[in-house]
């Protein structure tokens, strides 16, 4: 298991586990928090390593990437929430369907930190969550917000989410698992997406969406 740690030997530090398979991002977050002071961080890059880490140490905050290796949707989220015990699990992701976010909150997740958020904001948000608050950003740039379909070529929130996952190479089965939906629902979304974009198939839809800066 690969771990990076920052610790200034202060027992009042907030202990933060950063679980994300994008190693450069995870390490950047770790370095930034370590540089601010007041945080002790550990990084891991897959679910198995995270669960081992949580089995050895208690963390105040767990930043959880929904799509790192080993994750299988909401079942894995529930597993991490249980393993974190009294620690607060926070989704750390670029995009998440509102349905998935709502279900995750029901499972005990304490909020969402979007990867598009400036790194300098992370420390204060983590401290806010550690105080017992739930943090879910509001605004069109964040998951769970209302999307203006006129600015997205007629695609609604869920269709944009499905399109992003498909463009990343995920299969219908994987998308359905991530969303907590069925493959039939995902196929319906893909048909609607292709129709609205005038695309021949999902690959063509991904190309069009990039050309139109939808992704």
């Amino acid at each position: 298991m690969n771990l990076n740690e920052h610790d200034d030997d202060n027992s009042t530090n907030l202990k933060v586990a950063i679980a994300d398979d994008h190693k450069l991002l995870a390490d950047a977050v770790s370095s930034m928090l370590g540089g601010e002071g007041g945080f002790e961080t550990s990084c891991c890059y897959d679910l198995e390593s995270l669960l081992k880490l949580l089995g050895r140490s208690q963390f105040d905050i767990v930043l959880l990437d929904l799509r790192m290796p080993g994750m299988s949707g909401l079942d894995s989220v529930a597993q991490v929430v249980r393993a974190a015990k009294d620690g607060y699990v926070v989704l750390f992701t670029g995009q998440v369907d509102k349905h998935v976010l709502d279900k995750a909150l029901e499972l005990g997740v304490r909020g969402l930190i979007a990867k598009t958020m400036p790194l300098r904001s992370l420390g204060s948000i983590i401290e806010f969550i550690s105080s017992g608050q739930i943090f879910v950003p509001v605004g069109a740039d964040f998951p769970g917000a209302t999307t203006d379909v006129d600015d997205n070529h007629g695609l609604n929130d869920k269709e944009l989410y499905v399109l992003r996952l498909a463009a990343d190479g995920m299969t219908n089965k994987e998308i359905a698992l991530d969303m907590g939906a069925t493959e039939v629902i995902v196929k319906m979304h893909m048909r609607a997406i292709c129709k609205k974009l005038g695309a021949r198939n999902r690959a063509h839809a991904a190309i069009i969406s990039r050309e139109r800066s939808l992704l």
Side-chain angles (χ1 to χ4, degrees):
M1 176 172 56
N2 294 320
L3 295 178
N4 291 332
E5 297 189 353
H6 290 277
D7 185 0
D8 62 7
D9 296 323
N10 188 333
S11 61
T12 62
N13 282 353
L14 285 175
K15 292 187 65 178
V16 181
I18 305 164
D20 195 311
D21 65 326
H22 293 85
K23 188 176 185 297
L24 287 176
L25 176 60
D27 291 353
V29 171
S30 178
S31 295
M32 186 277 300
L33 291 176
E36 282 192 2
F39 298 96
E40 176 187 341
T41 65
S42 297
C43 295
C44 49
Y45 314 110
D46 57 66
L47 178 62
E48 181 181 1
S49 297
L50 173 61
L51 293 176
K52 288 180 180 178
L53 180 64
L54 295 178
R56 295 199 313 268
S57 303
Q58 176 68 41
F59 286 84
D60 300 296
I61 299 288
V62 178
L63 299 182
L64 178 64
D65 176 22
L66 286 174
R67 297 175 57 196
M68 67 180 179
M71 293 292 293
S72 57
L74 292 168
D75 287 342
S76 295
V77 172
Q79 191 176 9
V80 173
V81 170
R82 289 193 298 269
K85 302 180 181 69
D86 294 331
Y88 293 148
V89 177
V90 185
L91 301 185
F92 185 52
T93 185
Q95 179 73 18
V96 65
D97 181 76
K98 187 177 186 302
H99 168 76
V100 174
L101 175 58
D102 290 343
K103 290 294 184 182
L105 292 172
E106 291 176 9
L107 291 172
V109 165
R110 302 297 294 184
L112 166 74
I113 295 177
K115 291 181 180 179
T116 54
M117 186 171 291
L119 282 181
R120 63 180 179 274
S121 303
L122 280 177
S124 58
I125 294 171
I126 289 172
E127 290 174 347
F128 176 78
I129 294 170
S130 72
S131 71
Q133 305 298 314
I134 293 177
F135 179 82
V136 177
V138 177
D141 291 332
F142 298 105
T146 300
T147 299
D148 186 343
V149 295
D150 292 333
D151 292 336
N152 290 289
H153 299 274
L155 301 182
N156 60 36
D157 282 346
K158 192 157 291 188
E159 290 164 350
L160 280 170
Y161 182 61
V162 170
L163 178 59
R164 288 188 178 100
L165 297 187
D168 284 344
M170 291 180 67
T171 64
N172 286 344
K173 183 176 181 180
E174 290 170 334
I175 295 172
L177 189 63
D178 190 273
M179 294 176 62
T182 66
E183 287 186 64
V184 173
I185 294 297
V186 174
K187 289 177 181 178
M188 289 174 59
H189 286 312
M190 284 306 309
R191 282 198 294 269
I193 290 165
C194 289
K195 182 177 180 180
K196 291 178 180 180
L197 295 181
R200 296 185 297 274
N201 51 44
R202 60 192 287 153
H204 189 208
I207 292 171
I208 292 172
S209 63
R210 289 192 175 99
E211 289 175 345
R212 298 178 183 178
S213 299
L214 288 172
L215 299 181

